[in-house]
Amino acid sequence: MTATPAPPGLATTGTPALVGRAMTGTPALVRLALRRDRLLLPSWVAVIAGLVTASASAIAELYPQAAQRIALGVTIGSAPALQALTGPVYDAASVGGLTAWRVTTMASVLAALMSILVVIRHTRAEEESGRAELVGACPVGRHALPASGVLVAAGANLLIGVLITLGLAGQGLPVAGSLAFGAAVSGTGWTFTGVAVLAGQLTAHARTASAVAVAALGAAFLLRALGDAARIEALSWLSPLGWAQRVRAFAGERWWVLILFAATGPALAGLAALLARRRDLGAGLLAPRSGPRDAAASLRGTVALAWRLHRGVLLGWTAAFTIGGALFGALAHSVGDLVRDNPQLAALLSRMGGGAGLLTDTFLAAELSVLGLIAGGYAVQATLRLQGEESALRADPVLATAVPRWRWAAGHLGMALAGSAAILAAGGVAAGVTHGLRIGEPALQVPRLLGAALVQVPATWTLAGIAMLLFGLLPRLTALAWAALIAFALLAQLGELLQLDDRIRSLSPFAHVPRALPGPVDPGPLLGLCLVTMVLVLAGVLAFQRRDLRGD
């Protein structure tokens, strides 16, 4: 038997050569991605690294004595609710240990969100818009586009880790702990880089892929929160956010935990590369279902069309808020028992978004304010669906009919405004039910916490107004709406801790939300926020009517 000779041109082609050809053009695409993200990516890096270093400085100033830090750590260690929010404290005696407890989860979540948005923007969104096909007409490899997105996200996470290490070590904290902290945050970002590129293989739409990846992040947070609150280590070890805590920066570093990050991110990216071979360009592994030939009568109208497009996402957000609200409500009673005789912990809860007053109410107010910030994310996402429809050229056939632009925009805006109110209501009702059942007053607590959740609505509407203004006036800069949300979240959650000036903190609409617990509520600030939202929305709609439609 004689071996069949290899065809000309393939005789010298081995696996390394195939891999090399599949990555052809990656450096050029990386440069293109960095050029497109020249403003957004440095902002993410600066915010995350600055958040950690500024928090370390603030904690050193607030708790200068080791005895103060140890007393606080003892209290935190016996508070399951606090551990659900921020994780366990491993070494309260040191400034570094308290810093790791306070901001590891928040910085890791931000790094994960940055990675998800960057990867989806440069992979699935490029395929959905058709630019990937245009790029594919050039001499680039099959995996060059996803590889460029992964490399950009991985590089940004590496830079975050380096800056955190330098920032903490520069304040006199131990170098080993600083390095472990930076590596934990970077590792979480790398892991969710893999999650995002894998999610991009499942669906043909960037919006759905982002939702899948963010849902994975939410599940990771929930697993870590439940594991830390109930002291079930196995649950926390199922979450990359739990891994970040268990690196134990400044508390006897566990360097081997970093292997989990180093293995998971590349493994997920490799799996995504294998799955990419099983689908066509522009398609997802999950094929979209064909709709009926004739539209239902309920779809006749812009509002009905908007409901049809938004309902799946809205139901997912509603389910997540119901779970989150139920969790917070179930934990509130134990927090009240714990801090009733501990003014130091009460002051800490106040810095987390509550205020003076009843301690259980302070905890609930703080957690409902967190739900309000997250609902702002829904408001931005739903409003920017306008841009997605325009970029995908699906707005053109609608607007080519007798539908005016303002009516088309109003349908999506209505879903953003009504939807953010609906998910907050779901969270408030769920918190009221669980908290009411624990103290035997469900009929009293449900309307009370529903009202406390709904006072957050005007602030979320302001974010929708900002997104609408950017869409109408500066459609290429709509990402600034997400930047505004992150800035407001940092001002709301860390403004007190960082001792920022009141004029700076008042830039956030959430700083003007009146305290609803125990009540009564001053309606003046809420009316002011509604007025600001109305002005932003009207300006955005007018600007949209005066500009040309564009497709990306």
Side-chain angles (χ1 to χ4, degrees):
M1 179 180 291
T2 57
T4 304
L10 293 180
T12 60
T13 302
T15 301
L18 288 174
V19 173
R21 286 193 307 195
M23 303 291 281
T24 300
T26 300
L29 292 176
V30 168
R31 290 194 295 272
L32 176 62
L34 292 175
R35 165 71 178 165
R36 293 178 62 197
D37 287 347
R38 61 189 181 279
L39 295 179
L40 194 59
L41 205 56
S43 300
W44 273 104
V45 172
V47 166
I48 296 172
L51 163 70
V52 175
T53 54
S55 297
S57 176
I59 287 174
E61 185 174 344
L62 285 173
Y63 305 101
Q65 304 297 326
Q68 294 176 302
R69 296 192 290 268
I70 292 173
L72 178 63
V74 170
T75 304
I76 295 168
S78 57
L82 283 180
Q83 297 194 27
L85 292 174
T86 53
V89 55
Y90 291 109
D91 181 12
S94 67
V95 172
L98 272 185
T99 303
W101 163 73
R102 185 66 183 89
V103 291
T104 293
T105 296
M106 182 175 290
S108 299
V109 167
L110 289 175
L113 279 175
M114 178 199 72
S115 303
I116 291 170
L117 295 177
V118 167
V119 170
I120 297 296
R121 169 177 164 83
H122 293 295
T123 56
R124 173 51 65 183
E126 292 294 272
E127 291 191 41
E128 185 176 3
S129 66
R131 281 194 294 265
E133 188 174 5
L134 185 64
V135 171
C138 303
V140 299
R142 178 183 180 87
H143 298 309
L145 188 63
S148 65
V150 169
L151 289 174
V152 169
N157 281 297
L158 177 61
L159 183 57
I160 288 171
V162 170
L163 291 177
I164 287 176
T165 301
L166 294 177
L168 294 180
Q171 296 186 45
L173 298 180
V175 174
S178 303
L179 180 60
F181 197 122
V185 175
S186 290
T188 308
W190 289 345
T191 300
F192 280 92
T193 295
V195 171
V197 73
L198 183 60
Q201 309 305 313
L202 301 179
T203 172
H205 302 292
R207 181 185 64 260
T208 310
S210 298
V212 170
V214 172
L217 177 59
F221 182 87
L222 191 60
L223 283 172
R224 188 210 56 77
L226 291 175
D228 290 342
R231 303 182 190 280
I232 304 175
E233 282 287 306
L235 283 179
S236 298
W237 279 106
L238 293 176
S239 165
L241 299 177
W243 303 345
Q245 291 283 355
R246 279 147 185 81
V247 171
R248 296 179 66 123
F250 303 106
E253 292 77 15
R254 290 175 174 168
W255 299 105
W256 62 267
V257 179
L258 299 177
I259 297 174
L260 297 175
F261 294 121
T264 305
L268 292 174
L271 178 60
L274 292 176
L275 294 177
R277 296 174 178 272
R278 298 178 176 273
R279 65 177 181 84
D280 293 330
L281 184 67
L285 292 175
L286 303 177
R289 293 180 303 172
S290 299
R293 293 183 55 186
D294 300 317
S298 60
L299 286 178
R300 293 172 184 170
T302 53
V303 175
L305 176 61
W307 165 248
R308 178 67 180 83
L309 294 174
H310 286 263
R311 66 183 181 183
V313 175
L314 179 58
L315 289 175
W317 277 85
T318 303
F321 268 62
T322 302
I323 296 172
L327 176 63
F328 292 144
L331 293 171
H333 186 55
S334 60
V335 170
D337 290 342
L338 178 67
V339 301
R340 188 162 290 118
D341 299 323
N342 191 325
Q344 191 176 27
L345 184 55
L348 177 64
L349 285 175
S350 298
R351 294 190 191 100
M352 294 173 66
L358 298 176
L359 299 179
T360 302
D361 285 348
T362 299
F363 173 79
L364 287 168
E367 303 320 314
L368 291 176
S369 70
V370 172
L371 289 184
L373 286 166
I374 299 173
Y378 169 80
V380 172
Q381 181 191 40
T383 304
L384 295 186
R385 180 64 188 262
L386 287 162
Q387 186 186 34
E389 293 297 296
E390 182 184 2
S391 299
L393 305 179
R394 289 190 291 268
D396 296 57
V398 177
L399 297 176
T401 64
V403 175
R405 289 191 182 194
W406 68 265
R407 185 182 298 170
W408 175 72
H412 291 278
L413 270 173
M415 291 306 305
L417 302 181
S420 56
I423 60 177
L424 277 169
V429 169
V433 169
T434 53
H435 180 54
L437 289 175
R438 288 209 64 183
I439 64 175
E441 298 176 347
L444 174 64
Q445 295 300 326
V446 169
R448 187 166 169 268
L449 295 186
L450 172 62
L454 291 180
V455 298
Q456 305 287 333
V457 170
T460 66
W461 286 356
T462 304
L463 277 164
I466 292 172
M468 183 64 217
L469 179 63
L470 289 169
F471 168 71
L473 194 62
L474 302 167
R476 292 186 181 277
L477 298 178
T478 51
L480 291 178
W482 292 107
L485 172 61
I486 294 170
F488 295 159
L490 294 177
L491 288 174
Q493 295 300 304
L494 297 175
E496 181 72 22
L497 177 65
L498 300 179
Q499 303 181 49
L500 296 178
D501 189 272
D502 287 344
R503 288 172 295 184
I504 297 176
R505 295 171 59 191
S506 64
L507 294 176
S508 168
F510 294 93
H512 302 282
V513 174
R515 180 176 170 79
L517 295 175
V521 174
D522 179 8
L526 300 179
L527 294 175
L529 289 172
C530 291
L531 181 60
V532 170
T533 301
M534 187 182 302
V535 172
L536 292 171
V537 166
L538 288 176
V541 171
L542 288 175
F544 174 54
Q545 289 186 305
R546 292 174 181 273
R547 69 171 173 83
D548 293 333
L549 291 178
R550 54 187 291 272
D552 290 330

